[in-house]
């Protein structure tokens, strides 16, 4: 175990800032993020509207804060769903091996043959756009990679001597699995979950940007960017703020997962 | 040359390995569209379609037959290049897809080629200067590039080079075959955006595997023989360190060839990705189905091609099979 590096601390700070923003937005935003104010459309950043206002006079800062809440909520729900289902399936495949493993992995590899975004688009095509189907779509899209990583970890851990020792002591396979294999796979799962959070958030913004994600008027960073596209020449601030939020969040998630990996596996450290 | 007896076997094994995947992909694409609530015939005719017409169309589409038969019929048509017709325009789906694919492929292939070149140079240099200023600069830039969403970077590049400097066009598309110069002008920003976004992860992978190889004894040996650093890096480190990066190149290429919807939306390009999204929004299911199948096929084939390239880089792959 090593101390957290500077870039690790930057990651912690960025994600901390994000979570703080989400918490604050639950109680307070400068304006109502949905309130239309046609007297103050396209207001550039000022003391009143720190990040300016959009084509309906809605406050960009308030919408970015509410967008953080929606985007982070979707990302957390997706990661939780994909990781818990992935741990169950990956553990089953890696521990039971044999036919269960073969069937699961053939199916899993076929799912991996769909690019994540495409799989998500397919699921959204079936269930329609919206926050709920987005969580489902992204969880399905990212599940196969979780299953792969968990299975790989379980396969390598189950052959170690302490697992052998647990068997020799007369513990059942299921107990050895639950008590010894799963906990030892958790660092890898934690690293994966941190990077998943970044990927899912990026995919959610991309889908919302494409118009098949969070439906208007609810703000998400992606759909804020999409509606900023036509006004790029006159109101650039509309595009800058939500994009900067995504960059900061992704950078935070990537640095944090790098730092976690370095802590658990010093060999891969730069 | 019979020095590589394993090559034919290796190729056959990889190709055979891809077949079950393709079959499951086809089942998934077929099944996914069938999971849409409501009857496809009803969906095609809209809510106003009268029951008689719906029943006639059901028979015509073979919807009254058992599902496995329907799947077999659909797959048979698909294998012969018949992906049905668009509900919205009545155009056959495959020519539509191929026409859009040209746009996507021209951007994606040039961007990934450039990104790979940048990754090889950047990654090797960073590994060579491990923990020095250059290394830290390369890693910093790559990490930042990984965190920038393509749609935002695209918008920012449009803002600077299109709106402020007015060097490049902001909206529209001209096919290269129509006017080469104008066509290229529309491709510069999309390609640049993709290169920046994709090179981040490739640089980091190249650097990591180059670092691993640089620690090996044969590199020390090559240096001890008095070979120049450039020769050590290019002749001895690069071929052995390139495989993991090539895998990622294959994943990115396969992924993007199926449609770079986001980039195509930012730069209003008529590519495959935009076709998928527009068909989803228009509920044009034959087109959605065709696009999904085509994209998954492209992905599997590109990754198969990458698999087949490994023995060229590392002859041991064949032996170990």
């Amino acid at each position: 175990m090593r101390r957290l590096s500077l870039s690790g601390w930057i990651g912690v700070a960025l994600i901390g800032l994000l979570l703080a923003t989400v918490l604050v937005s639950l109680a307070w935003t400068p304006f109502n993020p949905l309130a239309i104010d046609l007297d103050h459309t396209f207001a550039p950043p000022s003391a009143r509207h720190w990040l300016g206002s959009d084509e309906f006079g809605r406050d960009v800062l308030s919408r970015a804060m509410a967008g953080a809440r929606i985007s982070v909520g979707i990302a957390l729900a997706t990661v939780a769903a994909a990781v818990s289902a992935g741990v169950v399936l990956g553990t089953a495949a890696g521990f039971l091996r044999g036919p269960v493993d073969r069937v699961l992995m053939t199916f899993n590899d076929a799912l991996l043959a769909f690019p994540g975004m495409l799989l998500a688009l397919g699921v959204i095509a079936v269930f329609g756009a919206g926050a709920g189907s987005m969580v489902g779509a992204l969880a399905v899209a990212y599940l196969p990679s979780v299953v792969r990583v968990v299975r790989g970890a379980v396969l390598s851990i189950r052959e170690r001597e302490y697992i052998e020792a647990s068997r020799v002591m007369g513990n059942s396979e299921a107990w050895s699995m639950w008590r010894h294999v799963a906990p030892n796979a958790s660092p890898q799962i934690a690293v994966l979950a941190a990077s998943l959070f970044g990927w899912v958030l990026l995919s959610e913004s991309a889908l919302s940007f494409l118009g098949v994600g969070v439906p208007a008027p609810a703000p998400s960073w992606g759909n804020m960017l999409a509606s900023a596209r036509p006004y790029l020449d006159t109101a650039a601030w509309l595009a800058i703020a939500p994009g900067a939020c995504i960059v900061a969040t992704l950078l935070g998630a990537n640095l944090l997962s790098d730092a976690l990996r370095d802590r658990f596996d010093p060999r891969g450290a730069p | 040359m019979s020095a590589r007896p394993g090559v034919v076997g290796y190729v056959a094994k990889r190709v055979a390995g891809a077949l079950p995947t393709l079959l499951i992909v086809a089942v998934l694409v077929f099944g996914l569209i069938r999971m849409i609530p409501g009857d496809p015939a009803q969906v095609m005719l809209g809510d106003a379609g009268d029951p008689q017409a719906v029943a006639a169309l059901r028979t015509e589409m073979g919807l009254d037959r058992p599902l496995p038969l329907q799947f077999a019929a659909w797959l048979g048509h698909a294998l012969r290049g018949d992906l049905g017709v668009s509900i919205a325009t009545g155009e056959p789906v495959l020519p539509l897809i191929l026409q859009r694919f040209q746009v996507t492929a021209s951007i994606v292939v040039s961007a990934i080629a450039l990104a790979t070149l940048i990754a090889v140079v950047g990654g090797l240099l960073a590994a060579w200067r491990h923990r020095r200023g250059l290394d830290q600069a390369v890693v910093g830039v790559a990490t930042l590039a990984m965190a920038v969403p393509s749609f935002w970077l695209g918008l920012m590049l449009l803002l600077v080079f299109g709106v402020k400097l007015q060097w490049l066009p902001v909206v529209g598309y001209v096919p290269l075959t129509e006017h080469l110069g104008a066509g290229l002008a529309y491709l510069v920003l999309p390609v640049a955006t993709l290169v920046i976004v994709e090179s981040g992860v490739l640089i980091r992978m190249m650097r990591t595997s180059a670092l691993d190889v640089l620690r090996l004894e044969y590199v020390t040996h090559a240096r001890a023989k008095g070979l120049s650093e450039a020769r050590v890096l290019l002749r001895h480190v690069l071929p052995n360190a390139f495989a993991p990066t090539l895998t990622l190149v294959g994943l990115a290429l396969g992924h993007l060839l199926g449609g770079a919807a986001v980039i195509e939306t930012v730069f209003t390009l008529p590519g495959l990705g935009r076709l998928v999204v527009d068909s989803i929004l228009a509920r044009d299911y034959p087109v959605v189905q065709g696009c999904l199948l085509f994209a998954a096929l492209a992905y599997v084939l590109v990754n198969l091609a990458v698999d087949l390239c490994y023995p060229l880089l590392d002859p041991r792959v064949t032996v170990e099979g």
Side-chain angles (χ1 to χ4, degrees):
Chain A
M1 296 285 252
R2 310 176 339 138
R3 290 173 57 91
L4 219 51
S5 61
L6 174 66
S7 58
W9 279 115
I10 297 176
V12 170
L14 286 171
I15 295 297
L17 184 67
L18 174 74
L19 295 180
T21 309
V22 170
L23 288 180
V24 170
S25 80
L26 288 173
W28 174 83
T29 50
F31 288 82
N32 176 348
L34 300 180
I36 291 174
D37 177 3
L38 294 177
D39 294 333
H40 297 94
T41 56
F42 296 118
S46 65
R48 180 181 159 86
H49 293 291
W50 287 8
L51 297 179
S53 73
D54 69 5
E55 70 272 32
F56 296 112
R58 297 174 299 195
D59 182 50
V60 174
L61 176 61
S62 305
R63 288 181 68 74
M65 288 172 73
R69 189 167 70 212
I70 294 174
S71 298
V72 169
I74 289 177
L76 286 179
T78 307
V79 171
V83 168
S84 41
V87 165
V88 171
L89 292 173
T91 311
F95 206 71
L96 298 173
R97 299 193 287 189
V100 177
D101 183 32
R102 270 200 299 279
V103 171
L104 269 177
M105 292 323 284
T106 308
F107 199 71
N108 202 61
D109 286 349
L111 278 181
L112 273 176
F114 279 100
M117 270 295 270
L118 203 67
L119 200 55
L121 280 174
V123 175
I124 287 172
V126 175
F127 297 104
S133 69
M134 180 113 84
V135 171
L138 291 174
V140 169
Y142 286 107
L143 177 63
S145 32
V146 182
V147 172
R148 251 209 174 273
V149 170
V150 174
R151 173 181 174 271
V154 168
L155 277 179
S156 104
I157 291 169
R158 61 167 292 152
E159 301 304 333
R160 306 232 175 118
E161 280 178 359
Y162 56 84
I163 304 298
E164 197 65 30
S166 165
R167 287 194 196 113
V168 171
M169 283 167 68
N171 291 330
S172 72
E173 288 287 302
W175 173 261
S176 311
M177 183 74 247
W178 169 250
R179 189 67 190 81
H180 300 292
V181 176
N184 281 294
S186 56
Q188 293 186 45
I189 297 169
V191 173
L192 181 69
S195 18
L196 262 187
F197 178 80
W199 298 337
V200 169
L201 196 119
L202 180 61
S203 306
E204 181 273 319
S205 325
L207 290 172
S208 295
F209 178 76
L210 291 175
V212 292
V214 175
S220 98
W221 294 337
N223 71 21
M224 287 172 75
L225 274 178
S227 48
R229 169 78 172 85
Y231 311 113
L232 207 53
D233 51 343
T234 50
W237 62 86
L238 291 178
I240 293 173
C245 293
I246 302 176
V247 172
T249 306
L250 289 182
L251 196 60
N254 290 347
L255 292 177
L256 193 63
S257 75
D258 281 359
L260 283 175
R261 199 193 51 221
D262 293 349
R263 255 186 105 102
F264 294 129
D265 179 16
R267 281 167 303 160
Chain B
M1 200 168 78
S2 62
R4 290 199 184 163
V7 169
V8 176
Y10 178 81
V11 171
K13 205 167 148 185
R14 292 293 142 142
V15 172
L19 288 178
T21 310
L22 285 174
L23 187 66
I24 297 179
V25 162
V27 172
L28 283 176
V29 169
F30 179 79
L32 198 63
I33 299 301
R34 277 315 165 81
M35 279 162 62
I36 292 166
D39 185 285
Q42 186 78 57
V43 171
M44 278 185 94
L45 292 176
D47 291 332
D50 74 287
Q52 245 176 350
V54 171
L57 188 62
R58 279 184 63 87
T59 318
E60 189 193 314
M61 290 169 73
L63 293 174
D64 45 359
R65 291 188 289 163
L67 267 184
L69 281 183
Q70 288 184 40
F71 173 69
W74 173 76
L75 189 62
H77 284 293
L79 286 177
R80 272 173 273 141
D82 175 11
L83 294 173
V85 294
S86 156
I87 298 176
T89 61
E91 278 179 86
V93 172
L94 188 64
L96 187 64
I97 289 178
L98 291 178
Q99 182 204 335
R100 299 296 199 96
F101 177 67
Q102 289 174 359
V103 178
T104 301
S106 59
I107 299 164
V108 167
V109 171
S110 36
I112 295 292
L114 272 173
T116 309
L117 191 66
I118 291 174
V120 165
V121 174
L124 278 180
L125 284 179
W128 183 53
R129 285 268 159 248
H130 187 37
R131 293 189 194 196
R132 314 255 186 100
L134 181 66
D135 181 27
Q136 280 155 2
V138 169
V139 171
V141 170
T143 308
L144 195 62
M146 279 170 71
V148 180
S150 53
F151 42 100
W152 190 58
L153 182 65
L155 284 178
M156 292 300 110
L157 290 180
L158 266 183
L159 182 61
V160 174
F161 296 101
V163 175
K164 298 285 178 212
L165 299 173
Q166 307 207 333
W167 289 354
L168 294 159
V170 178
V171 173
Y173 173 73
V174 174
L176 284 177
T177 44
E178 222 164 83
H179 191 293
L180 191 66
L184 282 176
Y186 283 101
L187 296 183
V188 172
L189 286 182
V191 169
T193 307
L194 269 183
V195 167
I196 296 173
V197 176
E198 296 295 329
S199 57
V201 66
L202 295 179
I203 290 177
R204 286 179 49 135
M205 178 54 86
M206 188 66 221
R207 171 181 172 276
T208 306
S209 41
L211 277 178
D212 285 345
V213 172
L214 277 167
R215 291 195 190 102
L216 298 180
E217 279 179 5
Y218 79 86
V219 174
T220 318
H221 178 241
R223 281 180 171 149
K225 282 200 305 189
L227 296 183
S228 70
E229 284 297 290
R231 190 162 166 79
V232 169
L233 284 177
L234 291 178
R235 182 67 193 87
H236 295 278
V237 175
L238 176 59
N240 262 302
F242 189 58
T245 307
L246 181 66
T247 307
L248 287 187
V249 168
L251 290 174
L253 192 63
H255 181 159
L256 290 169
L257 280 180
V262 166
I263 294 286
E264 292 162 16
T265 305
V266 172
F267 296 101
T268 57
L269 298 170
L272 197 53
R274 205 51 236 180
L275 181 65
V276 183
V277 174
D278 290 338
S279 321
I280 288 177
L281 292 175
R283 305 191 151 261
D284 194 344
Y285 294 120
V287 181
V288 176
Q289 209 170 26
C291 288
L292 289 180
L293 191 66
F294 184 87
L297 185 70
Y299 191 77
V300 172
L301 289 183
V302 168
N303 286 298
L304 180 66
V306 167
D307 263 5
L308 295 179
C309 283
Y310 289 139
L312 299 179
L313 286 174
D314 184 351
R316 281 169 305 179
V317 170
T318 311
V319 182
E320 287 162 9

